[in-house]
Amino acid sequence: MADDLILDVQDVKKAYDGLEVLKGIGFGLRKGETKVLIGPSGSGKSTLLRCINHLTVPDAGRIYLNGDEVLDTNIDAMRARMGFVFQDFNLFSHLTVLDNVRICQIKVNGTEKAAATQRAHRELERVGLSDKADAYPAELSGGQQQRVSIARALAMDPDVLLFDEPTSALDPELTGEVVRVMQQLAAEGMTMVVVTHEMSFARQAADEIIFMEDGHIIEQGPPETMFTDSTHERTRAFLNVIAEHG
Ligand SMILES: Nc1ncnc2c1ncn2[C@@H]1O[C@H](COP(=O)(O)OP(=O)(O)OP(=O)(O)O)[C@@H](O)[C@H]1O
Ligand SMILES: [Mg+2]
């Protein structure tokens, strides 16, 4: 294992009722890298992300975070070091924006309330929502809710951020404001794995694009290579469909 990898995923396999969804997936992520995971519906992208922090427990393979293996026995501590941003935001509806962003810092990390509050305000400012600290999620647009959920993840000071289609529930205008925040994070050196169909983000922010199909990684490489002269027919066909409809 290369010791400068923040995330090292080795030969991960998962089956549901005999249906093999991940057939031996491996990739590595260095500090500050952004990798974008693409592939057709059902190819296993969400399952892979969920296996990384054991929301879904893999059948086989190993996952290391900063050299420490992710195991059932240490999963709470490991999850605290991996931010997860979901398609449907997953905010606590009965808590204000401020409380959403500080609750895990206090409950999971044991941060003092004053420090957690200060950090929450800092992260809300980073995502452009300083003025919404006292609002409830239902009072926000989808794009704003998603930015709160990014602020919440950032406030935990994660080693890596995992995004599963963070903009697919949003209108195009709202997608833009979330994508801009993600681009800013990538530029600032955050380490991220992003499942998305936003090819402008992939082109601009990804160090590498990973194309998955049917539980395998078919091809991976820098965006320049993947978009212009992908060697695999399946990758080209997929990117053409995205270009037409995405
Ligand atoms: N909890 C589950 N139980 C049974 N089958 C599942 C479960 N979760 C996922 N699957 C199956 O695993 C396969 C991969 O699903 P997954 O959600 O990982 O795909 P995906 O690449 O994220 O697709 P999409 O682009 O539609 O989000 C699909 O065939 C799906 O039906
Ligand atoms: Mg998915």
Side-chain angles (χ1 to χ4, degrees):
M1 182 187 63
D3 58 8
D4 58 344
L5 290 178
I6 293 282
L7 185 65
D8 187 5
V9 175
Q10 299 180 1
D11 204 22
V12 167
K13 297 181 181 167
K14 179 70 189 177
Y16 290 110
D17 303 324
L19 173 72
E20 279 187 280
V21 171
L22 299 178
K23 299 176 179 172
I25 298 279
F27 71 94
L29 196 63
R30 292 196 161 66
K31 191 169 172 57
E33 272 188 328
T34 293
K35 294 207 175 181
V36 167
L37 199 54
I38 62 173
S41 183
S43 56
K45 306 179 297 294
S46 295
T47 306
L48 175 57
L49 279 197
R50 294 171 62 85
C51 279
I52 290 172
N53 74 351
H54 282 212
L55 285 174
T56 296
V57 180
D59 298 333
R62 291 172 186 276
I63 294 150
Y64 295 90
L65 184 66
N66 248 330
D68 299 324
E69 188 167 4
V70 178
L71 299 165
D72 280 344
T73 47
N74 64 10
I75 195 59
D76 290 343
M78 287 298 191
R79 279 189 189 144
R81 294 163 53 186
M82 295 190 253
F84 209 118
V85 177
F86 299 88
Q87 178 175 348
D88 55 359
F89 328 134
N90 268 7
L91 296 174
F92 297 112
S93 59
H94 63 292
L95 295 182
T96 64
V97 164
L98 180 63
D99 280 330
N100 265 283
V101 179
R102 65 184 173 186
I103 189 167
C104 288
Q105 296 180 69
I106 295 168
K107 299 250 158 153
V108 179
N109 285 0
T111 308
E112 294 282 339
K113 191 168 179 184
T117 304
Q118 203 175 27
R119 179 71 189 250
H121 283 300
R122 183 142 55 90
E123 299 305 346
L124 285 171
E125 191 181 337
R126 199 168 170 191
V127 301
L129 289 175
S130 298
D131 54 336
K132 297 293 184 189
D134 298 325
Y136 284 87
E139 298 166 337
L140 303 181
S141 72
Q144 291 170 333
Q145 290 185 57
Q146 191 59 297
R147 286 186 283 145
V148 172
S149 121
I150 293 172
R152 179 177 61 178
L154 289 170
M156 295 294 282
D157 221 358
D159 293 341
V160 63
L161 278 180
L162 310 173
F163 293 84
D164 193 359
E165 303 209 33
T167 62
S168 59
L170 302 175
D171 295 339
E173 322 85 89
L174 301 181
T175 294
E177 68 188 43
V178 172
V179 166
R180 277 191 293 280
V181 166
M182 291 162 57
Q183 281 173 334
Q184 175 196 322
L185 294 178
E188 287 168 6
M190 181 62 61
T191 311
M192 322 200 283
V193 182
V194 184
V195 176
T196 185
H197 290 234
E198 289 301 313
M199 289 302 121
S200 62
F201 173 79
R203 251 177 218 279
Q204 198 265 339
D207 295 290
E208 192 164 78
I209 295 176
I210 299 175
F211 177 65
M212 270 181 75
E213 190 176 63
D214 194 23
H216 292 289
I217 291 177
I218 303 286
E219 187 176 8
Q220 52 190 313
E224 312 82 80
T225 317
M226 294 287 275
F227 281 112
T228 56
D229 56 15
S230 158
T231 47
H232 288 257
E233 179 58 34
R234 290 297 309 145
T235 313
R236 281 205 302 276
F238 179 77
L239 288 172
N240 284 337
V241 172
I242 294 285
E244 280 167 31
H245 304 287

